């Protein structure tokens, strides 16, 4: 089971890795929009999610998620933390 | 035919003896397909027919058995040795270490194997002594032979003739080349066709789809993958073979690319690999060699990759 704070730390590092260091993990804020602010494309986003699914040991149900609403680091962390605790 | 059993009491020795007896009596043998094209099936092969085929070879040739005698690839090697009256070396088992031990003990000149088993032998040759075995002929079959495998074989055995074949249990030998270059010239596929008169895609033989997809690149057809192995990343088709070959160019020793489900894009590419290169460095290098959609979203560094009984990479994740 992962806490929201843990997931945010993990996501920040995963986003930094996905951008090959263009963005540092330390510079990422929970309120940052993953695509609009941090510049990730859909492939980067999917890669970050895959890594986080593996790290949390969960599988997100794509049909139960409104992806348009999951636009910030914090919202994605909320989703993983909630799924991990359910 | 001269049979050398590394362990005369092994199950493998018994299986080989059974096939040799069938060859002597020109009987039929019951085999299993490798399952590459689906669930393994029982098939029957008439050895009398196989023995009518003219084969070239010398009695001084010494073949190393690396394929199971319960598969057509293994029977084929045994029948060849029987017909040419040359030596067949049978290891204690088909494990890489037993094959290497039999190579050192009995000095084969010919070996037929899958590219994955070849990589596995090199990986398990801890003292790098395998190159002292004077192979004159190395034949790759069962899987596509990428350029990196042919180059590795050439570097280790500069004097050996390198052949790679395309065959299936259902269609038998389809084509072979021995120029050390990956892929096949279009002339080799001239008797076969692609859907809608196209130049590539799924190869049809005698009007029957093979499930094998090929791409014409320059003057060669290169294997893309089996229908069910091609990875669809948000509409982009990714060949596992291309991803694995890029990994080999980065110094990886064994690699397996496959699809993992993604809620956003349908599938993403995952890569399991054996090698010393740290995953972040491999990821960086692959990003320079592959289109972004083909870059593995997940890298797993492992000690070994599983091979099937047919010596092929097990492609299920």
């Amino acid at each position: 089971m992962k806490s929201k704070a843990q997931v945010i730390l993990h996501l920040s590092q995963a986003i930094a890795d996905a951008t090959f260091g263009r963005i540092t993990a330390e510079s990422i804020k929970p309120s940052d929009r993953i695509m609009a602010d941090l510049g990730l494309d859909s492939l980067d986003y999917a890669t970050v999610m895959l890594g986080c699914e593996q790290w949390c040991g969960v599988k997100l149900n794509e049909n139960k998620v409104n992806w348009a609403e999951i636009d910030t680091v914090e919202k994605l962390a909320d989703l993983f933390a909630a799924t991990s605790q359910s | 035919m001269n049979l050398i059993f590394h362990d005369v009491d092994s199950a493998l020795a018994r299986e080989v003896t059974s096939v040799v007896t069938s060859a002597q009596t020109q009987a039929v043998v019951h085999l299993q397909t490798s399952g590459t094209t689906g669930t393994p099936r029982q098939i029957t092969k008439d050895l009398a027919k196989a023995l009518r085929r003219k084969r070239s070879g010398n009695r001084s040739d010494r073949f190393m058995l690396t394929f199971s005698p319960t598969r057509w690839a293994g029977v084929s090697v045994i029948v060849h040795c029987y017909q040419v009256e040359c030596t067949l070396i049978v290891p204690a088992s088909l494990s890489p270490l037993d094959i290497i031990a039999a190579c050192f003990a009995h000095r084969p000149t010919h070996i037929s194997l899958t590219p994955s088993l070849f990589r596995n032998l090199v990986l398990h040759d801890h003292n790098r002594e395998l190159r002292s075995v004077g192979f004159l002929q190395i034949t790759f079959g069962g899987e596509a032979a990428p350029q990196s495998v042919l180059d590795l074989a050439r570097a280790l055995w500069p004097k050996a003739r390198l052949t790679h074949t395309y065959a299936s249990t259902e269609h038998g030998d389809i084509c072979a080349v021995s120029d050390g270059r990956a892929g096949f010239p279009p002339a080799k596929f001239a008797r076969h066709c692609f859907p809608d008169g196209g130049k590539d895609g799924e190869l049809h033989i005698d009007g029957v789809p093979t499930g094998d997809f090929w791409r014409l690149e320059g003057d060669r057809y290169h294997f893309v993958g089996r229908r069910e192995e091609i990875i669809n990343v948000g509409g982009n088709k990714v060949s596992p073979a291309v991803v694995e070959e890029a990994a080999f160019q980065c110094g990886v020793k064994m690699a397996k690319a496959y699809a993992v489900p993604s809620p956003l894009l349908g599938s993403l590419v995952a890569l399991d690999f054996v090698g010393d290169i740290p995953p972040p460095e491999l990821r960086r290098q692959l990003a320079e060699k592959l289109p972004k959609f083909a870059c593995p979203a997940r890298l797993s560094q492992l000690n070994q990759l599983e091979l099937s009984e047919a010596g092929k990479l097990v492609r299920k994740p």
Side-chain angles (χ1 to χ4, degrees), chain A residues 14 17-20 41-47 49-51 53-54 59-62 67, chain B residues 233 260-265 268-270 280 283-284 287 292-298 300:
Chain A
D17 291 345
T19 62
F20 291 102
D41 62 20
S42 58
L43 260 167
D44 297 326
Y45 193 0
T47 299
M49 280 185 40
L50 178 72
E53 277 185 333
Q54 193 179 15
K59 188 87 198 75
L60 296 180
N61 186 336
E62 59 183 302
W67 292 105
Chain B
V233 181
V260 283
S262 161
L264 288 179
L265 295 174
L268 289 170
V269 179
R283 194 166 159 273
R284 191 191 62 73
K292 192 169 180 180
F293 59 82
C295 287
R298 191 171 80 196
S300 305

Side-chain angles (χ1 to χ4, degrees), chain B residues 138-174:
Chain B
I138 302 173
T139 306
F140 295 106
E143 297 172 320
Q147 192 60 52
S148 57
V149 159
L150 295 168
D151 290 346
L152 182 60
R154 173 61 64 231
L156 293 172
W157 289 279
K159 292 179 181 167
R161 181 170 182 259
L162 304 180
T163 302
H164 57 106
T165 66
Y166 173 43
S168 74
T169 304
E170 292 81 1
H171 300 102
D173 296 334
I174 298 164

Side-chain angles (χ1 to χ4, degrees), chain B residues 58-81:
Chain B
N58 298 311
R59 293 182 71 177
S60 58
D61 294 345
R62 297 169 68 83
F63 273 77
M64 169 58 64
L65 184 72
T66 69
F67 292 115
S68 167
T70 63
R71 313 273 179 192
W72 176 241
V75 171
S76 220
V77 171
I78 297 168
V79 166
H80 177 93
C81 294

Side-chain angles (χ1 to χ4, degrees), chain B residues 94-112:
Chain B
L94 297 177
S95 76
L97 288 175
D98 280 341
I99 292 171
I100 290 171
C103 281
F104 290 148
H106 308 293
R107 319 306 288 184
T109 56
H110 290 55
I111 189 166
S112 300

Side-chain angles (χ1 to χ4, degrees), chain B residues 202-225:
Chain B
E202 184 177 8
L203 187 69
H204 287 54
I205 296 181
D206 300 329
V208 180
T210 58
D212 293 335
F213 282 69
W214 294 82
R215 184 183 56 244
L216 184 59
E217 215 176 83
D219 62 348
R220 291 259 161 160
Y221 274 106
H222 291 272
F223 187 62
V224 174

Side-chain angles (χ1 to χ4, degrees), chain B:
Chain B
M1 178 184 189
N2 177 31
L3 274 166
I4 297 177
F5 294 114
H6 195 73
D7 176 359
V8 76
D9 295 322
S10 66
L12 190 58
R14 286 193 294 278
E15 287 170 348
V16 169
T17 303
S18 167
V19 175
V20 172
T21 305
S22 298
Q24 285 165 339
T25 56
Q26 304 210 351
V28 295
V29 286
H30 303 284
L31 306 166
Q32 223 179 24
T33 62
S34 65
T36 310
T37 54
T39 311
R41 290 181 293 107
Q42 289 285 339
I43 56 162
T44 302
K45 288 281 184 182
D46 180 359
L47 290 191
K49 189 177 168 190
L51 287 164
R52 280 199 293 273
R53 191 181 140 196
K54 193 169 162 51
R55 293 166 198 273
S56 59
N58 298 311
R59 293 182 71 177
S60 58
D61 294 345
R62 297 169 68 83
F63 273 77
M64 169 58 64
L65 184 72
T66 69
F67 292 115
S68 167
T70 63
R71 313 273 179 192
W72 176 241
V75 171
S76 220
V77 171
I78 297 168
V79 166
H80 177 93
C81 294
Y82 176 80
Q83 203 166 9
V84 174
E85 298 181 339
C86 65
T87 298
L88 177 66
I89 299 161
V90 182
S93 81
L94 297 177
S95 76
L97 288 175
D98 280 341
I99 292 171
I100 290 171
C103 281
F104 290 148
H106 308 293
R107 319 306 288 184
T109 56
H110 290 55
I111 189 166
S112 300
L113 72 179
T114 62
S116 292
L117 180 60
F118 176 79
R119 286 192 180 281
N120 226 348
L121 292 184
V122 173
L123 194 64
H124 284 82
D125 178 28
H126 301 300
N127 298 325
R128 299 178 189 276
E129 291 171 348
L130 204 50
R131 67 174 70 196
S132 71
V133 177
F135 288 121
L136 302 174
Q137 169 73 52
I138 302 173
T139 306
F140 295 106
E143 297 172 320
Q147 192 60 52
S148 57
V149 159
L150 295 168
D151 290 346
L152 182 60
R154 173 61 64 231
L156 293 172
W157 289 279
K159 292 179 181 167
R161 181 170 182 259
L162 304 180
T163 302
H164 57 106
T165 66
Y166 173 43
S168 74
T169 304
E170 292 81 1
H171 300 102
D173 296 334
I174 298 164
C175 56
V177 291
S178 301
D179 60 3
R181 288 180 59 205
F184 295 98
K188 296 282 184 185
F189 287 173
R191 290 174 47 232
H192 315 302
C193 65
F194 293 99
D196 307 321
K199 287 195 169 175
D200 50 18
E202 184 177 8
L203 187 69
H204 287 54
I205 296 181
D206 300 329
V208 180
T210 58
D212 293 335
F213 282 69
W214 294 82
R215 184 183 56 244
L216 184 59
E217 215 176 83
D219 62 348
R220 291 259 161 160
Y221 274 106
H222 291 272
F223 187 62
V224 174
R226 299 274 314 152
R227 183 191 294 116
E228 64 278 10
E229 290 167 3
I230 294 170
I231 306 163
N232 189 336
V233 181
N236 296 293
K237 303 283 198 301
V238 180
S239 160
V242 169
V243 178
E244 290 161 8
E245 182 65 349
F248 294 138
Q249 287 168 8
C250 299
V252 159
K253 291 171 181 161
M254 292 193 76
K256 176 178 76 169
Y258 54 95
V260 283
S262 161
L264 288 179
L265 295 174
S267 301
L268 289 170
V269 179
L271 183 79
D272 293 351
F273 73 97
V274 179
D276 300 328
I277 183 168
E281 175 59 17
L282 176 59
R283 194 166 159 273
R284 191 191 62 73
Q285 290 191 29
L286 288 174
E288 291 173 0
K289 295 180 189 298
L290 293 168
K292 192 169 180 180
F293 59 82
C295 287
R298 191 171 80 196
L299 290 169
S300 305
Q301 192 169 23
L302 306 173
N303 290 327
Q304 59 179 13
L305 292 181
E306 186 189 354
L307 298 189
S308 71
E309 200 182 298
K312 301 181 187 185
L313 209 52
V314 176
R315 291 205 165 270
K316 289 164 194 149

